[in-house]
Amino acid sequence: MKTCLERIYNGVLKENPALVLMLGMCPTLAVTTSAINGFGMGLSTMAVLIVSNLIISLLRKSIPDEVRLPAYIVIVASLVTVVELLTQAYLPDLYKALGIYIPLIVVNCIILGRAEAFASKNSPLPSLFDGVGMGLGFTIALVLIGLVREFLGAGTAFGVTILSPEVFTPLGIFIRAPGAFLVLAIVVAVMNGASVMTRANEMVNGCDGCCAKCGKICEDTKEEAVK
Amino acid sequence: MNSLVMIVVGAALVNNVVLSQFLGICSFLGVSKQMKASLSLGGAVIFVITIASAVASLLYTFVLEPLSLAYLQTIVFILVIAALVQMVEMFLKKNSPAIYKALGIYLPLITTNCAVLGVALTNVQNGYGLAESVLAGFGTAVGFTVAIVLLAGIRGRLDESAVPLPFRGAPLVLLSAALMSIAFMGFGGIS
């Protein structure tokens, strides 16, 4: 039980995937135009992450090491297809709002990253809770960023008007594309100022450790640079 | 003809893949540190996305749709893209070592670049045929290259400037991207 709670604490705070590990940047920037969209994306990713962690952990002894990445990709892609069909059927509004970013959960670094770093090495129960923790951390981060952007860009929170347009003229730029970069830049700057170690700086230096493969690329690039 | 040109311009500038669709952010932020690397990655991305769009489009029109397996598109596309990148890498290594040397290490990186899968899925969503898909893929990849090369240029200048401590590193790169994104919003006027 202790390890399970520890996994959740780890995912939400210590190694928050979006804010500390800087994984899954594409959805973090793209769908946080409102808190609701961030919440929907967070939950969809969490659902895939929990089940994929569980399945990969259960199969960790039967998947040969050489083909583990393609095997993980097939498992994750199947789960994403299930989530995609379910949202299409039961939450059509969310499906429309998130659009192409739902199938793109397949290439979200968090999922393959956790499969490789945790689920493939640990037993099913901790892996499941790792998925819950990481998923919660990701959801909370997306909702927070979405809340900030929605409030500044439209004066609302979760679709409820907080400041009427007469009092506060919404800064529309925050719900457009540049607002995403802007908010994230300020978030990382604040964390730098508070000396919370994030991986953002490693990321912009080319060693983001994004997915399993990038680690090797990073070494290769360094070698190239030395030459 | 006019509409085909608009597809390329639209994909490259108006709906820029990084600055307004947020695909391929990882490599956009990571590789833009060096100008030479950015150009090579841009070249590799143009090459792979154009081919992948053609293959995905053919596969969708002639295999998935006739067999009413369209719901499998995500699984099929990601596997085909991964296999394709591997094949392109092997082909280049054997047949044109010069190109391989220039693009080599960046090719595997592209499998995990969500722009490739993103383009394939967007093409299907827009109901594009083969020619339109290839042009849209090419345009998207050119847009990626333009964005990453511009950012690499900006970062080259930023290296020497005095920046407040908390904004050094990632925040400054993200702010530059934000300003570029504002500039690219201006292209919205074209369409």
Side-chain angles (χ1 to χ4, degrees), chain A residues 30 64 78-79 87 118 122 143 154 161 185 197 211 216 224:
Chain A
S78 318
L79 293 170
T87 37
F118 197 87
N122 289 282
V143 170
T161 310
M197 286 307 290
C211 288
K216 194 181 160 296
E224 191 88 339

Side-chain angles (χ1 to χ4, degrees), chain A residues 26 29-30 77 81 84 100-101 103-104 106-107 176-178 180-182 185 189 192 200-201 203-206 208 210 214 217, chain B residues 19 21-23 26 29-30 33 71 74-75 78 105 109 114 118 121-122 155 166-167 169-171 174-175 178 181-182 185:
Chain A
C26 304
L29 293 170
T81 307
E84 189 185 353
I100 181 177
Y101 295 99
L104 283 178
V106 180
V107 279
R176 308 285 295 274
F181 288 113
L182 216 56
N192 278 352
N201 295 318
M203 180 167 168
V204 293
N205 284 327
D208 53 14
C210 189
C214 304
I217 307 290
Chain B
L19 297 171
Q21 312 288 313
F22 303 108
L23 301 177
C26 267
L29 297 178
K33 202 183 171 204
Y71 64 92
T74 312
I75 305 179
I78 186 78
I105 57 166
L109 188 61
C114 43
L121 292 169
T122 315
R155 288 181 69 176
F167 276 91
L174 288 165
L175 281 181
S181 176
I182 294 177
M185 269 169 70

Side-chain angles (χ1 to χ4, degrees), chain B:
Chain B
M1 191 58 217
N2 213 346
S3 70
L4 293 182
V5 174
M6 268 326 283
I7 287 179
V8 177
V9 176
L13 299 176
V14 184
N15 295 312
N16 186 281
V17 64
V18 218
L19 297 171
S20 85
Q21 312 288 313
F22 303 108
L23 301 177
I25 294 283
C26 267
S27 38
F28 174 65
L29 297 178
V31 179
S32 59
K33 202 183 171 204
Q34 295 158 319
M35 177 59 88
K36 203 175 141 241
S38 303
L39 281 169
S40 307
L41 179 70
V45 165
I46 294 179
F47 195 72
V48 170
I49 291 194
T50 310
I51 300 176
S53 313
V55 174
S57 167
L58 289 174
L59 211 65
Y60 188 82
T61 329
F62 294 107
V63 181
L64 293 180
E65 210 161 38
L67 298 174
S68 34
L69 288 175
Y71 64 92
L72 285 180
Q73 54 173 341
T74 312
I75 305 179
V76 173
F77 285 175
I78 186 78
L79 289 178
V80 168
I81 289 167
L84 186 79
V85 173
Q86 206 100 94
M87 263 159 56
V88 168
E89 197 184 346
M90 284 177 344
F91 179 82
L92 286 183
K93 201 172 188 174
K94 194 158 179 284
N95 292 312
S96 55
I99 301 182
Y100 180 76
K101 234 185 128 208
L103 309 181
I105 57 166
Y106 297 102
L107 283 172
L109 188 61
I110 295 172
T111 326
T112 53
N113 186 331
C114 43
V116 189
L117 182 61
V119 175
L121 292 169
T122 315
N123 287 342
V124 168
Q125 215 171 47
N126 291 343
Y128 284 166
L130 179 62
E132 291 155 317
S133 295
V134 172
L135 286 176
F138 176 74
T140 306
V142 169
F144 178 85
T145 311
V146 169
I148 196 171
V149 168
L150 284 178
L151 185 64
I154 294 174
R155 288 181 69 176
R157 296 285 174 100
L158 288 177
D159 277 349
E160 283 123 44
S161 46
V163 180
L165 205 55
F167 276 91
R168 257 176 227 171
L172 192 62
V173 179
L174 288 165
L175 281 181
S176 316
L179 293 176
M180 283 172 68
S181 176
I182 294 177
F184 269 70
M185 269 169 70
F187 288 117
I190 298 176
S191 60

Side-chain angles (χ1 to χ4, degrees), chain A residues 1-198:
Chain A
M1 202 56 222
K2 211 176 143 220
T3 44
C4 300
L5 285 178
E6 187 258 316
R7 288 327 302 164
I8 293 184
Y9 166 76
N10 183 57
V12 175
L13 289 173
K14 208 171 130 217
E15 292 190 351
N16 187 299
L19 299 176
V20 179
L21 297 184
M22 294 288 152
L23 295 176
M25 276 296 101
C26 304
T28 307
L29 293 170
V31 303
T32 49
T33 48
S34 72
I36 300 266
N37 284 353
F39 187 62
M41 187 68 206
L43 284 192
S44 320
T45 311
M46 181 154 98
V48 175
L49 188 55
I50 294 172
V51 184
S52 77
N53 260 7
L54 182 67
I55 295 180
I56 287 167
S57 172
L58 285 170
L59 293 176
R60 71 185 186 281
K61 282 176 191 138
S62 7
I63 298 176
D65 211 32
E66 304 81 44
V67 293
R68 65 181 196 288
L69 283 182
Y72 298 163
I73 291 180
V74 174
I75 294 170
V76 175
S78 318
L79 293 170
V80 169
T81 307
V82 172
V83 168
E84 189 185 353
L85 293 175
L86 284 175
T87 37
Q88 196 173 6
Y90 295 107
L91 301 163
D93 290 339
L94 185 71
Y95 180 77
K96 252 203 193 129
L98 298 184
I100 181 177
Y101 295 99
I102 294 184
L104 283 178
I105 296 175
V106 180
V107 279
N108 189 328
C109 305
I110 297 172
I111 300 190
L112 272 188
R114 290 326 284 174
E116 180 79 2
F118 197 87
S120 61
K121 293 175 193 135
N122 289 282
S123 52
L125 196 65
S127 301
L128 185 122
F129 275 91
D130 184 70
V132 175
M134 284 283 159
L136 264 182
F138 189 59
T139 311
I140 292 172
L142 289 196
V143 170
L144 284 180
I145 297 177
L147 211 55
V148 172
R149 287 183 67 188
E150 190 184 342
F151 181 71
L152 293 172
T156 59
F158 288 100
V160 182
T161 310
I162 304 286
L163 291 174
S164 63
E166 295 94 64
V167 188
F168 165 73
T169 316
L171 308 164
I173 194 99
F174 279 97
I175 48 174
R176 308 285 295 274
F181 288 113
L182 216 56
V183 170
L184 194 71
I186 292 165
V187 167
V188 178
V190 168
M191 304 244 287
N192 278 352
S195 41
V196 179
M197 286 307 290
T198 67

